[in-house]
Amino acid sequence: MTTTTSARTIAPSSGPLARLRRAEPSSYIVYVGFVLIALVMSIVLHGDGFLARQNLINILLQTAPITVMAVGTVFVLSLGEIDLSIGAVVALSAIIAAVELRDHGLVAGIVAGLATGLVVGLVNGLMVTKLRLPSFLVTLGMMGLCAGLSQRITQLQAVPSTDVAFNGLFGSGSLAGISTLILWSAVFVLLGHFVYRHTRVGAHVLAAGDNVRAARVSGIKVDRIKIGVLVVSGLSAAVAGLLYTGRLHGATYTLGSSDLLTVIAAVVIGGTRLFGGRGTVVGALIGSLILGMLNNGLILAGLSDSEQQVARGLIILVAVALTLREDKS
């Protein structure tokens, strides 16, 4: 009798309804917001073709590089760090890949582009862990360094990408009727979600981000985790650079220049805690799509560039204010 009563008492507290009651608003508000924004855009911009199949596909294509970078940024922010260099790494990786692609062929271009992101991420990680410098300052300095190198290498000129195989693999091609841009973003989201939620690495990232001292005491190699997530962030930015190059058939030093704010906003709006200890890769995907829909809607509404920037800034401020409210405790 006692066992039955206890089971009945415990069951409701561990069921789906109980978990829903315990869930923080920020864990599901992004999904509600996504649906509401999609509905509003569909009604307001119905006559402007918002719901047209090609327009919806364009939103997915335009947000693909942002989504790829957002996956890496989820790991960085969940650890309580930040990477301000991702936008500059996009441009540098794209330019180096395009130059090597032109001079030495497909494999050299891909390897050089990815290696650029890996090296930048590794340097960031080593400086943060070995020199005990704040990631904010390290990646801020790296942002300037990468931006300067991008301009120096190209002398402010665009580098074309004429390799059909490269362009098809990283942007303008398709597989079974699905754009490679969409496939790349899907692979990153699925792989990132699996690692984040179902592996020891993801658990260690969350533990270190929630309480770094307790993580060290429990035996977690925090410095190794920090280096790893910053390398992942650099690699995700490099892949984004390759995607831009493949889609635009060329690279310029301005690629990714406005992506930093968008990526961080997408991740935070998606439910990742800015100061570590909580995150969601799927939420980052939804946050990226929300910002993509809003950007697309502003263009369809006929706003000028300056009006779009003002509206985009206000929207991001409101969205972040709604999702970033920290518990006072």
Side-chain angles (χ1 to χ4, degrees), residues 2 86 132 139 151 275 278 281 299:
T2 303
I86 53 176
R132 300 299 175 188
T139 57
Q151 297 177 31
F275 307 108
R278 185 181 73 234
V281 172
I299 295 173

Side-chain angles (χ1 to χ4, degrees), residues 6-94:
S6 300
R8 289 176 180 175
T9 303
I10 294 172
S13 63
S14 59
L17 292 178
R19 289 196 296 269
L20 182 60
R21 286 195 295 268
R22 291 197 302 268
E24 298 181 22
S26 60
S27 64
Y28 58 81
I29 192 173
V30 63
Y31 304 104
V32 176
F34 176 79
V35 173
L36 291 177
I37 291 172
L39 287 174
V40 171
M41 291 288 187
S42 300
I43 295 172
V44 174
L45 299 173
H46 178 73
D48 296 309
F50 178 80
L51 288 178
R53 179 176 179 273
Q54 188 56 51
N55 186 61
L56 296 178
I57 292 176
N58 285 338
I59 293 175
L60 293 176
L61 298 179
Q62 291 163 2
T63 57
I66 299 298
T67 299
V68 167
M69 285 186 281
V71 172
T73 302
V74 168
F75 285 84
V76 175
L77 293 186
S78 295
L79 192 58
E81 304 293 339
I82 194 167
D83 187 355
L84 301 179
S85 65
I86 53 176
V89 173
V90 167
L92 184 60
S93 298

